[in-house]
Amino acid sequence: MTEETLQALIEKHTPHLMALPNVVGVGRGEEQGRAVVVVLVSRKLPLAALQPHERVPRNLEGVPVRVREVGSVQAQ
């Protein structure tokens, strides 16, 4: 996957992802040499605490998604 393709995928899905509970950012990353979408959350919650429509998907159009807890984010 090219950088441009990954960026287009992220831009396409960011509005939906940012509307999910606790999501504070979306970006790209790499895991074992493979491109991944990184979703930053203020606090990870157990799946049971979220309704199915509130959950971050495991992948977007075949690209793995990783959720990372970063705490609260404030502009400096």
Side-chain angles (χ1 to χ4, degrees):
M1 171 169 283
T2 68
E3 285 290 319
E4 294 81 23
T5 304
L6 181 59
Q7 186 61 37
L9 176 79
I10 290 169
E11 289 174 11
K12 176 181 175 182
H13 291 280
T14 292
H16 167 72
L17 293 169
M18 290 298 293
L20 297 175
N22 297 320
V23 174
V24 295
V26 181
R28 60 179 156 219
E30 189 174 306
E31 188 175 271
Q32 298 177 351
R34 185 174 179 193
V36 297
V37 175
V38 178
V39 177
L40 306 173
V41 296
S42 57
R43 187 170 58 111
K44 273 190 168 183
L45 298 172
L47 285 179
L50 298 168
Q51 296 295 318
H53 66 276
E54 296 176 323
R55 296 175 184 165
V56 173
R58 293 179 184 254
N59 71 71
L60 294 171
E61 299 180 30
V63 178
V65 175
R66 300 296 177 253
V67 177
R68 299 210 174 112
E69 183 174 348
V70 295
S72 61
V73 176
Q74 298 177 356
Q76 299 269 337

